[in-house]
Amino acid sequence: MSLSPGVPAPWFHAGSPQNPRFAFASLGGQYILLAFLPPPGPARAAALQAAADRSASFRDDTMLFFGVLPDAESCAGAVNNPPFRWFFDPDGEIAALYDARDADGAYAPQWVMIDPTLRVLGTAPIEAGPSVIDRIAALGSPEDFAGVPVNAPVLIVPRVLEPNLCRSLIDLYNKTGGEPSGVMVQRGGKTIGVLDDFKRRRDADIDDPDLRQQVRARIVRRLVPEIKKVFQFTVTRIERYIVACYDASDGGYFRAHRDNTTTATAHRRFAVSINLNAEEFEGGDLRFPEFGRRTYRPPTGGAVVFSCSLLHEATPVTKGTRYATLPFLFDEEGAKIREANLHTLAPDVAAPAS
């Protein structure tokens, strides 16, 4: 058990009962217990009974249990039934990542405790289940995982776009009504766009050349220098000119995700969220689950800037309509990555402008 406290928990994709390629990186904001389970038998039954006896400790917003199943037969019959959720590992790939092995290199069932930022808290033998669960439950709310208040490492910049430009962008959107916005996923070596219930948003391209140039000029003159000052990063490329609409009529939202986890998005460095009408809607704020429940809301014409690697979500709009423009920023090194990966973008997904 070589995972020491404080190291990042290795990210992986794995099959699960509801998702053939579940992304571990989509988690965050809760304590996580990974149980690298023994083969079927008394030791596995005891580990699962420890979790069942303490099921009240497991809640989706506080602590999650994932059993890692090492045998194909168990994987075939597994069904998620919270608090029991499963990862399939018949080839031992996850166990290898987490070094779930004894001194002789044999598979060693164990618990891995992970904090809300996906960093390791510790490991323990599988028979220590009761004390492991009690230890994590005693830590209390994930809000307090650091022992001191924490804020997401984001930059808020007011006065990027003028109010009249914000209104012009909203008017542009309302001329067309936008189109349903999908999410980018990796399947069969290709990055494709899919529509599902992970996101409720409509987007309209800023196809007016004058409006696009106005937005670009203000980002370059007013936002890029602040990013250079705060993050010591020189932005040279802008991707995506859109007006996005989250409407209360369908509870517009975007669940927790990261913006650079596919080959065709790996070049992205910073995401930008510029509200166009912050006073006209309720809900619809940004949240970064790894850093607590606090939400972030830039003023009209103001931006929130954050690393594309951060887990983030747009909370549901509960009243009114939220309009925003949402570019991604990168540099020349990112441009090389983008160019090298363009062949992995599915033909029906338009290559982003830069």
PDB file of all heavy atoms in Angstrom, residues 7 26 37 78 126 128 130 228 301 307:
ATOM      1  N   VAL A   7      -1.210  12.550  -1.675  1.00  0.00           N
ATOM      2  CA  VAL A   7      -0.929  12.401  -3.103  1.00  0.00           C
ATOM      3  C   VAL A   7      -2.240  12.360  -3.875  1.00  0.00           C
ATOM      4  O   VAL A   7      -3.282  11.958  -3.348  1.00  0.00           O
ATOM      5  CB  VAL A   7      -0.096  11.140  -3.403  1.00  0.00           C
ATOM      6  CG1 VAL A   7       1.206  11.150  -2.612  1.00  0.00           C
ATOM      7  CG2 VAL A   7      -0.896   9.873  -3.118  1.00  0.00           C
ATOM      8  N   SER A  26     -14.879  12.726 -12.790  1.00  0.00           N
ATOM      9  CA  SER A  26     -16.138  13.460 -12.692  1.00  0.00           C
ATOM     10  C   SER A  26     -16.633  13.551 -11.256  1.00  0.00           C
ATOM     11  O   SER A  26     -17.603  14.266 -10.979  1.00  0.00           O
ATOM     12  CB  SER A  26     -17.213  12.803 -13.564  1.00  0.00           C
ATOM     13  OG  SER A  26     -17.573  11.524 -13.054  1.00  0.00           O
ATOM     14  N   LEU A  37     -12.168  -5.045  -3.334  1.00  0.00           N
ATOM     15  CA  LEU A  37     -12.803  -6.169  -2.643  1.00  0.00           C
ATOM     16  C   LEU A  37     -12.118  -7.498  -2.919  1.00  0.00           C
ATOM     17  O   LEU A  37     -11.543  -7.705  -4.006  1.00  0.00           O
ATOM     18  CB  LEU A  37     -14.268  -6.266  -3.070  1.00  0.00           C
ATOM     19  CG  LEU A  37     -15.147  -5.099  -2.608  1.00  0.00           C
ATOM     20  CD1 LEU A  37     -16.483  -5.123  -3.332  1.00  0.00           C
ATOM     21  CD2 LEU A  37     -15.359  -5.148  -1.092  1.00  0.00           C
ATOM     22  N   ALA A  78     -23.523  -7.180 -11.160  1.00  0.00           N
ATOM     23  CA  ALA A  78     -23.573  -6.013 -10.272  1.00  0.00           C
ATOM     24  C   ALA A  78     -24.667  -5.036 -10.690  1.00  0.00           C
ATOM     25  O   ALA A  78     -24.892  -4.776 -11.874  1.00  0.00           O
ATOM     26  CB  ALA A  78     -22.218  -5.308 -10.264  1.00  0.00           C
ATOM     27  N   ILE A 126      -8.621  -4.485   4.113  1.00  0.00           N
ATOM     28  CA  ILE A 126     -10.054  -4.594   3.873  1.00  0.00           C
ATOM     29  C   ILE A 126     -10.827  -4.970   5.135  1.00  0.00           C
ATOM     30  O   ILE A 126     -11.983  -4.582   5.310  1.00  0.00           O
ATOM     31  CB  ILE A 126     -10.327  -5.611   2.730  1.00  0.00           C
ATOM     32  CG1 ILE A 126     -11.744  -5.423   2.183  1.00  0.00           C
ATOM     33  CG2 ILE A 126     -10.068  -7.036   3.205  1.00  0.00           C
ATOM     34  CD1 ILE A 126     -11.958  -4.113   1.467  1.00  0.00           C
ATOM     35  N   ALA A 128     -10.502  -3.754   7.942  1.00  0.00           N
ATOM     36  CA  ALA A 128     -10.637  -2.580   8.818  1.00  0.00           C
ATOM     37  C   ALA A 128     -11.836  -1.710   8.448  1.00  0.00           C
ATOM     38  O   ALA A 128     -11.917  -0.551   8.875  1.00  0.00           O
ATOM     39  CB  ALA A 128      -9.359  -1.748   8.760  1.00  0.00           C
ATOM     40  N   PRO A 130     -15.045  -1.233   9.417  1.00  0.00           N
ATOM     41  CA  PRO A 130     -15.775  -0.428  10.401  1.00  0.00           C
ATOM     42  C   PRO A 130     -15.014   0.808  10.859  1.00  0.00           C
ATOM     43  O   PRO A 130     -15.574   1.907  10.926  1.00  0.00           O
ATOM     44  CB  PRO A 130     -16.001  -1.417  11.548  1.00  0.00           C
ATOM     45  CG  PRO A 130     -16.021  -2.762  10.882  1.00  0.00           C
ATOM     46  CD  PRO A 130     -15.010  -2.661   9.798  1.00  0.00           C
ATOM     47  N   LYS A 228      -2.704  37.129 -17.222  1.00  0.00           N
ATOM     48  CA  LYS A 228      -1.239  37.147 -17.171  1.00  0.00           C
ATOM     49  C   LYS A 228      -0.758  37.520 -15.772  1.00  0.00           C
ATOM     50  O   LYS A 228       0.177  36.898 -15.237  1.00  0.00           O
ATOM     51  CB  LYS A 228      -0.715  38.165 -18.196  1.00  0.00           C
ATOM     52  CG  LYS A 228       0.783  38.389 -18.169  1.00  0.00           C
ATOM     53  CD  LYS A 228       1.566  37.166 -18.623  1.00  0.00           C
ATOM     54  CE  LYS A 228       3.037  37.488 -18.760  1.00  0.00           C
ATOM     55  NZ  LYS A 228       3.827  36.303 -19.150  1.00  0.00           N
ATOM     56  N   GLY A 301     -21.519  41.653 -17.631  1.00  0.00           N
ATOM     57  CA  GLY A 301     -20.305  42.073 -18.326  1.00  0.00           C
ATOM     58  C   GLY A 301     -19.027  41.622 -17.666  1.00  0.00           C
ATOM     59  O   GLY A 301     -17.937  41.826 -18.210  1.00  0.00           O
ATOM     60  N   SER A 307      -9.273  27.362 -14.349  1.00  0.00           N
ATOM     61  CA  SER A 307      -8.605  26.297 -15.081  1.00  0.00           C
ATOM     62  C   SER A 307      -9.619  25.288 -15.602  1.00  0.00           C
ATOM     63  O   SER A 307     -10.540  24.875 -14.885  1.00  0.00           O
ATOM     64  CB  SER A 307      -7.609  25.593 -14.159  1.00  0.00           C
ATOM     65  OG  SER A 307      -7.174  24.376 -14.749  1.00  0.00           O
TER      66      SER A 307
END
